[in-house]
Short mmCIF file of all heavy atoms in Angstrom, two decimals:
data_model
loop_
_atom_site.label_atom_id
_atom_site.label_comp_id
_atom_site.label_asym_id
_atom_site.label_seq_id
_atom_site.Cartn_x
_atom_site.Cartn_y
_atom_site.Cartn_z
N MET A 4 -130.38 52.48 66.10
CA MET A 4 -131.19 52.00 67.21
C MET A 4 -132.51 52.76 67.24
O MET A 4 -132.56 53.95 67.04
CB MET A 4 -130.41 52.18 68.51
CG MET A 4 -131.08 51.67 69.71
SD MET A 4 -129.95 50.51 70.50
CE MET A 4 -131.03 49.62 71.51
N GLN A 5 -133.57 52.05 67.53
CA GLN A 5 -134.90 52.63 67.56
C GLN A 5 -135.15 53.32 68.90
O GLN A 5 -134.67 52.90 69.94
CB GLN A 5 -135.92 51.52 67.35
CG GLN A 5 -137.30 51.99 67.07
CD GLN A 5 -138.23 50.83 66.73
OE1 GLN A 5 -137.98 49.70 67.09
NE2 GLN A 5 -139.29 51.11 66.01
N LYS A 6 -135.94 54.39 68.87
CA LYS A 6 -136.31 55.09 70.09
C LYS A 6 -137.31 54.25 70.88
O LYS A 6 -138.12 53.53 70.30
CB LYS A 6 -136.95 56.44 69.76
CG LYS A 6 -136.00 57.43 69.15
CD LYS A 6 -136.71 58.74 68.91
CE LYS A 6 -135.76 59.73 68.28
NZ LYS A 6 -136.42 61.03 68.06
N PRO A 7 -137.28 54.35 72.21
CA PRO A 7 -138.27 53.63 73.03
C PRO A 7 -139.69 54.08 72.67
O PRO A 7 -139.91 55.22 72.28
CB PRO A 7 -137.93 54.05 74.46
CG PRO A 7 -136.51 54.49 74.40
CD PRO A 7 -136.32 55.07 73.03
N PHE A 8 -140.65 53.16 72.81
CA PHE A 8 -142.04 53.48 72.54
C PHE A 8 -142.93 52.72 73.51
O PHE A 8 -142.49 51.80 74.18
CB PHE A 8 -142.41 53.17 71.08
CG PHE A 8 -142.17 51.73 70.68
CD1 PHE A 8 -143.20 50.82 70.70
CD2 PHE A 8 -140.91 51.32 70.28
CE1 PHE A 8 -142.98 49.50 70.33
CE2 PHE A 8 -140.68 50.00 69.90
CZ PHE A 8 -141.71 49.09 69.93
N LYS A 9 -144.19 53.12 73.57
CA LYS A 9 -145.13 52.53 74.52
C LYS A 9 -146.27 51.83 73.79
O LYS A 9 -146.83 52.37 72.84
CB LYS A 9 -145.70 53.63 75.42
CG LYS A 9 -146.52 53.11 76.59
CD LYS A 9 -147.05 54.25 77.44
CE LYS A 9 -145.99 54.62 78.44
NZ LYS A 9 -146.50 55.52 79.51
N ILE A 10 -146.59 50.61 74.24
CA ILE A 10 -147.73 49.86 73.72
C ILE A 10 -148.58 49.46 74.92
O ILE A 10 -148.11 48.73 75.80
CB ILE A 10 -147.28 48.59 72.97
CG1 ILE A 10 -146.46 48.94 71.73
CG2 ILE A 10 -148.50 47.76 72.57
CD1 ILE A 10 -145.92 47.74 71.00
N LYS A 11 -149.82 49.94 74.96
CA LYS A 11 -150.75 49.62 76.04
C LYS A 11 -150.10 49.76 77.41
O LYS A 11 -150.21 48.89 78.27
CB LYS A 11 -151.33 48.21 75.86
CG LYS A 11 -152.20 48.10 74.62
CD LYS A 11 -152.91 46.78 74.57
CE LYS A 11 -153.82 46.76 73.37
NZ LYS A 11 -154.64 45.57 73.34
N GLY A 12 -149.40 50.87 77.61
CA GLY A 12 -148.80 51.16 78.90
C GLY A 12 -147.46 50.49 79.15
O GLY A 12 -146.84 50.71 80.18
N GLN A 13 -146.99 49.67 78.24
CA GLN A 13 -145.72 48.94 78.41
C GLN A 13 -144.64 49.61 77.56
O GLN A 13 -144.77 49.72 76.36
CB GLN A 13 -145.90 47.49 77.96
CG GLN A 13 -144.67 46.65 78.08
CD GLN A 13 -144.30 46.39 79.53
OE1 GLN A 13 -145.13 45.96 80.32
NE2 GLN A 13 -143.07 46.65 79.86
N MET A 14 -143.57 50.08 78.23
CA MET A 14 -142.46 50.70 77.51
C MET A 14 -141.59 49.62 76.87
O MET A 14 -141.21 48.65 77.53
CB MET A 14 -141.61 51.56 78.43
CG MET A 14 -142.24 52.89 78.78
SD MET A 14 -142.60 53.94 77.34
CE MET A 14 -140.98 54.32 76.73
N ILE A 15 -141.29 49.82 75.61
CA ILE A 15 -140.44 48.91 74.86
C ILE A 15 -139.17 49.68 74.48
O ILE A 15 -139.26 50.77 73.93
CB ILE A 15 -141.14 48.42 73.56
CG1 ILE A 15 -142.54 47.87 73.85
CG2 ILE A 15 -140.26 47.43 72.82
CD1 ILE A 15 -142.57 46.61 74.66
N GLY A 16 -138.03 49.11 74.80
CA GLY A 16 -136.77 49.73 74.40
C GLY A 16 -136.06 50.48 75.48
O GLY A 16 -135.03 51.13 75.22
N GLU A 17 -136.56 50.41 76.71
CA GLU A 17 -135.85 51.02 77.84
C GLU A 17 -136.21 50.26 79.11
O GLU A 17 -137.23 49.58 79.18
CB GLU A 17 -136.20 52.51 77.99
CG GLU A 17 -137.57 52.80 78.52
CD GLU A 17 -137.85 54.30 78.71
OE1 GLU A 17 -137.14 55.12 78.14
OE2 GLU A 17 -138.78 54.61 79.44
N GLY A 18 -135.33 50.32 80.09
CA GLY A 18 -135.58 49.60 81.34
C GLY A 18 -135.44 48.10 81.16
O GLY A 18 -134.66 47.63 80.34
N ARG A 19 -136.22 47.35 81.92
CA ARG A 19 -136.16 45.89 81.86
C ARG A 19 -136.67 45.37 80.52
O ARG A 19 -137.65 45.89 79.99
CB ARG A 19 -137.00 45.28 82.98
CG ARG A 19 -136.44 45.60 84.36
CD ARG A 19 -137.24 44.94 85.42
NE ARG A 19 -137.06 43.49 85.27
CZ ARG A 19 -137.59 42.60 86.07
NH1 ARG A 19 -138.37 42.97 87.06
NH2 ARG A 19 -137.37 41.32 85.90
N PRO A 20 -136.05 44.34 80.00
CA PRO A 20 -136.52 43.76 78.74
C PRO A 20 -137.93 43.17 78.90
O PRO A 20 -138.29 42.69 79.97
CB PRO A 20 -135.52 42.64 78.45
CG PRO A 20 -134.34 42.93 79.29
CD PRO A 20 -134.83 43.70 80.48
N VAL A 21 -138.69 43.21 77.83
CA VAL A 21 -140.02 42.62 77.80
C VAL A 21 -139.91 41.27 77.10
O VAL A 21 -139.33 41.16 76.03
CB VAL A 21 -141.01 43.53 77.05
CG1 VAL A 21 -142.36 42.86 76.91
CG2 VAL A 21 -141.14 44.86 77.76
N VAL A 22 -140.46 40.25 77.72
CA VAL A 22 -140.45 38.92 77.13
C VAL A 22 -141.73 38.74 76.32
O VAL A 22 -142.83 38.94 76.84
CB VAL A 22 -140.34 37.82 78.22
CG1 VAL A 22 -140.44 36.44 77.60
CG2 VAL A 22 -139.05 37.99 79.00
N CYS A 23 -141.57 38.36 75.08
CA CYS A 23 -142.70 38.13 74.18
C CYS A 23 -142.83 36.62 73.98
O CYS A 23 -141.90 35.97 73.52
CB CYS A 23 -142.46 38.83 72.85
SG CYS A 23 -143.82 38.66 71.70
N VAL A 24 -143.99 36.07 74.35
CA VAL A 24 -144.21 34.63 74.26
C VAL A 24 -144.93 34.32 72.95
O VAL A 24 -146.04 34.81 72.72
CB VAL A 24 -145.04 34.12 75.46
CG1 VAL A 24 -145.29 32.64 75.35
CG2 VAL A 24 -144.36 34.47 76.77
N PRO A 25 -144.32 33.52 72.07
CA PRO A 25 -144.97 33.19 70.81
C PRO A 25 -146.02 32.09 70.96
O PRO A 25 -145.85 31.17 71.75
CB PRO A 25 -143.82 32.71 69.93
CG PRO A 25 -142.84 32.14 70.90
CD PRO A 25 -142.97 32.97 72.16
N VAL A 26 -147.09 32.20 70.19
CA VAL A 26 -148.12 31.16 70.13
C VAL A 26 -148.01 30.55 68.74
O VAL A 26 -148.25 31.23 67.74
CB VAL A 26 -149.53 31.74 70.38
CG1 VAL A 26 -150.59 30.69 70.17
CG2 VAL A 26 -149.61 32.32 71.78
N THR A 27 -147.63 29.27 68.70
CA THR A 27 -147.37 28.60 67.43
C THR A 27 -148.30 27.42 67.17
O THR A 27 -147.98 26.53 66.38
CB THR A 27 -145.91 28.11 67.38
OG1 THR A 27 -145.68 27.23 68.48
CG2 THR A 27 -144.93 29.27 67.44
N GLU A 28 -149.44 27.43 67.82
CA GLU A 28 -150.42 26.36 67.61
C GLU A 28 -150.89 26.38 66.15
O GLU A 28 -150.89 27.43 65.50
CB GLU A 28 -151.62 26.55 68.53
CG GLU A 28 -151.28 26.66 70.00
CD GLU A 28 -150.69 25.39 70.57
OE1 GLU A 28 -151.09 24.30 70.14
OE2 GLU A 28 -149.82 25.50 71.44
N THR A 29 -151.33 25.23 65.64
CA THR A 29 -151.74 25.15 64.24
C THR A 29 -153.25 25.21 64.03
O THR A 29 -153.70 25.49 62.92
CB THR A 29 -151.20 23.85 63.61
OG1 THR A 29 -151.72 22.73 64.33
CG2 THR A 29 -149.69 23.82 63.61
N GLU A 30 -154.02 24.95 65.08
CA GLU A 30 -155.48 24.95 64.96
C GLU A 30 -156.10 26.06 65.82
O GLU A 30 -155.54 26.43 66.86
CB GLU A 30 -156.05 23.60 65.38
CG GLU A 30 -155.58 22.45 64.51
CD GLU A 30 -155.96 22.59 63.04
OE1 GLU A 30 -157.05 23.12 62.74
OE2 GLU A 30 -155.17 22.17 62.18
N ALA A 31 -157.26 26.56 65.39
CA ALA A 31 -157.91 27.69 66.05
C ALA A 31 -158.15 27.45 67.53
O ALA A 31 -157.88 28.33 68.36
CB ALA A 31 -159.23 28.02 65.35
N GLU A 32 -158.64 26.27 67.88
CA GLU A 32 -158.95 25.98 69.28
C GLU A 32 -157.69 26.07 70.15
O GLU A 32 -157.71 26.59 71.26
CB GLU A 32 -159.59 24.60 69.43
CG GLU A 32 -160.91 24.44 68.71
CD GLU A 32 -160.76 24.21 67.20
OE1 GLU A 32 -159.68 23.75 66.75
OE2 GLU A 32 -161.72 24.48 66.47
N GLY A 33 -156.59 25.55 69.62
CA GLY A 33 -155.32 25.59 70.35
C GLY A 33 -154.79 27.00 70.51
O GLY A 33 -154.26 27.37 71.55
N ILE A 34 -154.95 27.80 69.46
CA ILE A 34 -154.49 29.19 69.50
C ILE A 34 -155.24 29.97 70.56
O ILE A 34 -154.64 30.62 71.43
CB ILE A 34 -154.68 29.85 68.11
CG1 ILE A 34 -153.75 29.20 67.09
CG2 ILE A 34 -154.43 31.36 68.19
CD1 ILE A 34 -154.13 29.48 65.64
N VAL A 35 -156.56 29.89 70.51
CA VAL A 35 -157.40 30.63 71.46
C VAL A 35 -157.14 30.15 72.88
O VAL A 35 -157.00 30.96 73.81
CB VAL A 35 -158.89 30.52 71.07
CG1 VAL A 35 -159.78 31.14 72.14
CG2 VAL A 35 -159.13 31.18 69.72
N GLY A 36 -157.06 28.85 73.07
CA GLY A 36 -156.80 28.30 74.41
C GLY A 36 -155.47 28.75 74.97
O GLY A 36 -155.36 29.12 76.15
N LYS A 37 -154.43 28.73 74.14
CA LYS A 37 -153.09 29.14 74.59
C LYS A 37 -153.07 30.62 74.95
O LYS A 37 -152.51 31.01 75.97
CB LYS A 37 -152.08 28.83 73.49
CG LYS A 37 -150.67 29.11 73.87
CD LYS A 37 -150.22 28.14 74.92
CE LYS A 37 -148.82 27.68 74.62
NZ LYS A 37 -148.34 26.67 75.54
N ILE A 38 -153.69 31.44 74.13
CA ILE A 38 -153.72 32.88 74.41
C ILE A 38 -154.51 33.16 75.69
O ILE A 38 -154.08 33.99 76.51
CB ILE A 38 -154.27 33.67 73.21
CG1 ILE A 38 -153.24 33.62 72.07
CG2 ILE A 38 -154.60 35.11 73.59
CD1 ILE A 38 -153.70 34.21 70.76
N ARG A 39 -155.61 32.48 75.89
CA ARG A 39 -156.37 32.66 77.14
C ARG A 39 -155.54 32.27 78.34
O ARG A 39 -155.53 32.96 79.36
CB ARG A 39 -157.67 31.87 77.09
CG ARG A 39 -158.69 32.51 76.19
CD ARG A 39 -160.03 31.83 76.23
NE ARG A 39 -160.99 32.57 75.42
CZ ARG A 39 -161.91 32.03 74.67
NH1 ARG A 39 -162.05 30.71 74.64
NH2 ARG A 39 -162.73 32.77 73.95
N ALA A 40 -154.82 31.15 78.25
CA ALA A 40 -153.98 30.69 79.36
C ALA A 40 -152.86 31.68 79.65
O ALA A 40 -152.58 31.99 80.81
CB ALA A 40 -153.40 29.31 79.05
N LEU A 41 -152.23 32.20 78.60
CA LEU A 41 -151.16 33.18 78.80
C LEU A 41 -151.69 34.48 79.38
O LEU A 41 -151.03 35.11 80.21
CB LEU A 41 -150.44 33.44 77.47
CG LEU A 41 -149.60 32.28 76.93
CD1 LEU A 41 -149.15 32.56 75.50
CD2 LEU A 41 -148.41 32.01 77.84
N THR A 42 -152.89 34.87 78.96
CA THR A 42 -153.51 36.08 79.50
C THR A 42 -153.80 35.92 80.99
O THR A 42 -153.56 36.84 81.77
CB THR A 42 -154.80 36.40 78.72
OG1 THR A 42 -154.47 36.58 77.35
CG2 THR A 42 -155.47 37.65 79.26
N GLU A 43 -154.29 34.76 81.38
CA GLU A 43 -154.56 34.50 82.80
C GLU A 43 -153.27 34.56 83.63
O GLU A 43 -153.30 34.95 84.78
CB GLU A 43 -155.22 33.13 82.97
CG GLU A 43 -156.66 33.11 82.51
CD GLU A 43 -157.27 31.72 82.56
OE1 GLU A 43 -156.64 30.78 83.11
OE2 GLU A 43 -158.40 31.57 82.05
N LYS A 44 -152.16 34.17 83.03
CA LYS A 44 -150.87 34.22 83.71
C LYS A 44 -150.25 35.62 83.67
O LYS A 44 -149.17 35.84 84.20
CB LYS A 44 -149.89 33.22 83.08
CG LYS A 44 -150.29 31.79 83.33
CD LYS A 44 -149.28 30.85 82.72
CE LYS A 44 -149.71 29.41 82.96
NZ LYS A 44 -148.74 28.46 82.42
N GLN A 45 -150.95 36.55 83.04
CA GLN A 45 -150.53 37.95 82.93
C GLN A 45 -149.16 38.10 82.26
O GLN A 45 -148.31 38.87 82.70
CB GLN A 45 -150.57 38.64 84.29
CG GLN A 45 -151.96 38.65 84.87
CD GLN A 45 -152.04 39.36 86.21
OE1 GLN A 45 -151.04 39.70 86.82
NE2 GLN A 45 -153.25 39.58 86.67
N VAL A 46 -148.98 37.36 81.17
CA VAL A 46 -147.76 37.49 80.37
C VAL A 46 -147.71 38.90 79.80
O VAL A 46 -148.74 39.44 79.39
CB VAL A 46 -147.76 36.43 79.24
CG1 VAL A 46 -146.64 36.66 78.27
CG2 VAL A 46 -147.70 35.04 79.82
N GLN A 47 -146.52 39.49 79.77
CA GLN A 47 -146.38 40.88 79.33
C GLN A 47 -146.77 41.08 77.86
O GLN A 47 -147.40 42.07 77.51
CB GLN A 47 -144.94 41.36 79.51
CG GLN A 47 -144.56 41.64 80.93
CD GLN A 47 -143.13 42.10 81.01
OE1 GLN A 47 -142.23 41.40 80.58
NE2 GLN A 47 -142.92 43.27 81.55
N MET A 48 -146.34 40.18 76.99
CA MET A 48 -146.60 40.36 75.57
C MET A 48 -146.75 38.99 74.90
O MET A 48 -145.99 38.07 75.19
CB MET A 48 -145.46 41.13 74.91
CG MET A 48 -145.73 41.49 73.48
SD MET A 48 -144.44 42.54 72.77
CE MET A 48 -144.74 44.07 73.65
N ILE A 49 -147.74 38.88 74.03
CA ILE A 49 -148.02 37.64 73.31
C ILE A 49 -147.93 37.92 71.82
O ILE A 49 -148.48 38.91 71.34
CB ILE A 49 -149.42 37.10 73.66
CG1 ILE A 49 -149.55 36.85 75.16
CG2 ILE A 49 -149.73 35.84 72.86
CD1 ILE A 49 -150.97 36.57 75.62
N GLU A 50 -147.26 37.02 71.11
CA GLU A 50 -147.17 37.12 69.65
C GLU A 50 -147.85 35.90 69.04
O GLU A 50 -147.44 34.77 69.28
CB GLU A 50 -145.70 37.14 69.21
CG GLU A 50 -145.52 37.03 67.72
CD GLU A 50 -144.09 36.73 67.31
OE1 GLU A 50 -143.32 36.18 68.12
OE2 GLU A 50 -143.75 37.03 66.16
N TRP A 51 -148.91 36.13 68.28
CA TRP A 51 -149.53 35.02 67.56
C TRP A 51 -148.79 34.85 66.24
O TRP A 51 -148.80 35.73 65.39
CB TRP A 51 -151.00 35.28 67.29
CG TRP A 51 -151.62 34.22 66.41
CD1 TRP A 51 -151.28 32.89 66.38
CD2 TRP A 51 -152.66 34.38 65.46
NE1 TRP A 51 -152.05 32.22 65.46
CE2 TRP A 51 -152.90 33.12 64.87
CE3 TRP A 51 -153.40 35.46 65.03
CZ2 TRP A 51 -153.86 32.91 63.89
CZ3 TRP A 51 -154.37 35.25 64.06
CH2 TRP A 51 -154.59 33.99 63.51
N ARG A 52 -148.14 33.71 66.08
CA ARG A 52 -147.43 33.39 64.84
C ARG A 52 -148.44 32.81 63.86
O ARG A 52 -148.61 31.61 63.75
CB ARG A 52 -146.30 32.41 65.13
CG ARG A 52 -145.15 32.97 65.94
CD ARG A 52 -144.34 33.97 65.13
NE ARG A 52 -143.99 33.43 63.81
CZ ARG A 52 -142.88 32.73 63.57
NH1 ARG A 52 -142.01 32.50 64.52
NH2 ARG A 52 -142.66 32.25 62.36
N ALA A 53 -149.15 33.70 63.17
CA ALA A 53 -150.20 33.29 62.24
C ALA A 53 -149.66 32.41 61.12
O ALA A 53 -150.41 31.62 60.54
CB ALA A 53 -150.91 34.51 61.67
N ASP A 54 -148.36 32.52 60.84
CA ASP A 54 -147.79 31.68 59.79
C ASP A 54 -147.79 30.20 60.17
O ASP A 54 -147.68 29.33 59.30
CB ASP A 54 -146.38 32.14 59.44
CG ASP A 54 -145.43 32.13 60.62
OD1 ASP A 54 -145.83 32.56 61.72
OD2 ASP A 54 -144.28 31.71 60.44
N CYS A 55 -147.95 29.89 61.45
CA CYS A 55 -148.03 28.50 61.90
C CYS A 55 -149.45 27.95 61.82
O CYS A 55 -149.65 26.74 61.91
CB CYS A 55 -147.52 28.39 63.34
SG CYS A 55 -145.79 28.81 63.52
N PHE A 56 -150.42 28.82 61.69
CA PHE A 56 -151.84 28.44 61.66
C PHE A 56 -152.16 27.70 60.36
O PHE A 56 -151.82 28.16 59.26
CB PHE A 56 -152.69 29.71 61.79
CG PHE A 56 -154.17 29.52 61.69
CD1 PHE A 56 -154.81 28.45 62.28
CD2 PHE A 56 -154.94 30.44 61.00
CE1 PHE A 56 -156.19 28.29 62.20
CE2 PHE A 56 -156.31 30.31 60.91
CZ PHE A 56 -156.93 29.22 61.51
N ALA A 57 -152.82 26.57 60.47
CA ALA A 57 -153.18 25.76 59.30
C ALA A 57 -154.05 26.53 58.31
O ALA A 57 -154.02 26.26 57.11
CB ALA A 57 -153.89 24.48 59.75
N GLY A 58 -154.81 27.51 58.79
CA GLY A 58 -155.69 28.29 57.92
C GLY A 58 -155.15 29.65 57.56
O GLY A 58 -155.90 30.54 57.16
N ALA A 59 -153.85 29.84 57.65
CA ALA A 59 -153.23 31.15 57.43
C ALA A 59 -153.50 31.72 56.04
O ALA A 59 -153.55 32.94 55.87
CB ALA A 59 -151.73 31.08 57.68
N ALA A 60 -153.69 30.87 55.06
CA ALA A 60 -153.93 31.33 53.69
C ALA A 60 -155.38 31.71 53.43
O ALA A 60 -155.72 32.17 52.34
CB ALA A 60 -153.48 30.26 52.70
N GLU A 61 -156.24 31.52 54.45
CA GLU A 61 -157.66 31.80 54.29
C GLU A 61 -158.06 32.96 55.21
O GLU A 61 -158.24 32.78 56.41
CB GLU A 61 -158.48 30.56 54.63
CG GLU A 61 -158.13 29.36 53.76
CD GLU A 61 -158.81 28.10 54.21
OE1 GLU A 61 -160.04 28.14 54.40
OE2 GLU A 61 -158.11 27.09 54.38
N PRO A 62 -158.20 34.17 54.63
CA PRO A 62 -158.50 35.35 55.44
C PRO A 62 -159.71 35.21 56.37
O PRO A 62 -159.68 35.71 57.49
CB PRO A 62 -158.75 36.45 54.40
CG PRO A 62 -157.97 35.99 53.21
CD PRO A 62 -158.06 34.49 53.22
N ASP A 63 -160.73 34.51 55.94
CA ASP A 63 -161.93 34.35 56.79
C ASP A 63 -161.60 33.53 58.05
O ASP A 63 -162.08 33.84 59.14
CB ASP A 63 -163.07 33.69 56.03
CG ASP A 63 -163.70 34.63 55.01
OD1 ASP A 63 -163.58 35.86 55.18
OD2 ASP A 63 -164.30 34.14 54.04
N ARG A 64 -160.78 32.50 57.91
CA ARG A 64 -160.39 31.70 59.08
C ARG A 64 -159.50 32.50 60.03
O ARG A 64 -159.64 32.39 61.25
CB ARG A 64 -159.69 30.42 58.63
CG ARG A 64 -160.66 29.44 57.99
CD ARG A 64 -160.03 28.12 57.65
NE ARG A 64 -159.61 27.42 58.87
CZ ARG A 64 -158.78 26.38 58.88
NH1 ARG A 64 -158.27 25.94 57.74
NH2 ARG A 64 -158.44 25.79 60.00
N VAL A 65 -158.60 33.30 59.47
CA VAL A 65 -157.74 34.15 60.31
C VAL A 65 -158.61 35.15 61.07
O VAL A 65 -158.44 35.34 62.28
CB VAL A 65 -156.69 34.89 59.45
CG1 VAL A 65 -155.93 35.92 60.29
CG2 VAL A 65 -155.72 33.89 58.83
N ARG A 66 -159.57 35.74 60.39
CA ARG A 66 -160.47 36.72 61.01
C ARG A 66 -161.26 36.07 62.15
O ARG A 66 -161.45 36.67 63.21
CB ARG A 66 -161.42 37.29 59.95
CG ARG A 66 -162.23 38.47 60.43
CD ARG A 66 -163.05 39.13 59.30
NE ARG A 66 -162.22 39.58 58.21
CZ ARG A 66 -162.17 39.01 57.00
NH1 ARG A 66 -162.93 37.98 56.70
NH2 ARG A 66 -161.40 39.49 56.05
N GLN A 67 -161.72 34.83 61.95
CA GLN A 67 -162.46 34.13 62.99
C GLN A 67 -161.61 33.94 64.25
O GLN A 67 -162.11 34.11 65.37
CB GLN A 67 -162.93 32.77 62.48
CG GLN A 67 -164.05 32.86 61.47
CD GLN A 67 -164.39 31.51 60.86
OE1 GLN A 67 -163.67 30.53 61.01
NE2 GLN A 67 -165.49 31.45 60.13
N VAL A 68 -160.35 33.60 64.08
CA VAL A 68 -159.46 33.44 65.23
C VAL A 68 -159.27 34.78 65.92
O VAL A 68 -159.37 34.88 67.15
CB VAL A 68 -158.09 32.84 64.81
CG1 VAL A 68 -157.12 32.83 65.98
CG2 VAL A 68 -158.27 31.44 64.26
N LEU A 69 -159.04 35.83 65.16
CA LEU A 69 -158.83 37.15 65.74
C LEU A 69 -160.07 37.63 66.51
O LEU A 69 -159.95 38.26 67.56
CB LEU A 69 -158.47 38.17 64.65
CG LEU A 69 -157.09 37.99 64.04
CD1 LEU A 69 -156.94 38.89 62.81
CD2 LEU A 69 -156.01 38.30 65.06
N GLU A 70 -161.24 37.33 66.00
CA GLU A 70 -162.47 37.74 66.68
C GLU A 70 -162.66 37.04 68.01
O GLU A 70 -163.27 37.59 68.92
CB GLU A 70 -163.67 37.51 65.77
CG GLU A 70 -163.73 38.50 64.61
CD GLU A 70 -164.81 38.19 63.59
OE1 GLU A 70 -165.44 37.11 63.68
OE2 GLU A 70 -165.01 39.01 62.69
N GLN A 71 -162.14 35.82 68.12
CA GLN A 71 -162.27 35.09 69.38
C GLN A 71 -161.34 35.68 70.41
O GLN A 71 -161.53 35.62 71.58
CB GLN A 71 -161.95 33.61 69.17
CG GLN A 71 -163.02 32.91 68.37
CD GLN A 71 -162.75 31.43 68.23
OE1 GLN A 71 -162.49 30.77 69.23
NE2 GLN A 71 -162.81 30.93 67.03
#
């Protein structure tokens, strides 16, 4: 079992479980929009599933999404 650790003030591995919401959109606009909406709802943790992104094999396209 892994020891508890902290990410941006959130303890992982002790106390209440943290729910991680995956973002599985395939296009950049959808990814950015979904992450913005989840951020506004103050979701505890967001996971971008880059493997679902149509441009996942193109580092420049991935970088553009990350910069947004």
Side-chain angles (χ1 to χ4, degrees):
M4 183 125 199
Q5 192 174 23
K6 292 182 181 181
F8 57 97
K9 189 180 274 192
I10 297 177
K11 294 188 177 186
Q13 180 69 51
M14 284 301 294
I15 309 293
E17 73 178 18
R19 295 183 66 178
V21 175
V22 176
C23 182
V24 179
V26 174
T27 58
E28 305 295 325
T29 59
E30 298 300 324
E32 298 79 22
I34 294 163
V35 173
K37 184 68 138 184
I38 290 173
R39 286 186 175 142
L41 291 169
T42 301
E43 287 175 8
K44 292 182 181 181
Q45 299 181 350
V46 171
Q47 286 179 302
M48 187 175 289
I49 301 169
E50 171 193 23
W51 174 33
R52 291 290 311 271
D54 58 317
C55 296
F56 176 41
E61 301 173 50
D63 287 337
R64 289 185 65 195
V65 172
R66 190 173 302 109
Q67 288 173 349
V68 173
L69 290 170
E70 288 173 352
Q71 290 184 49

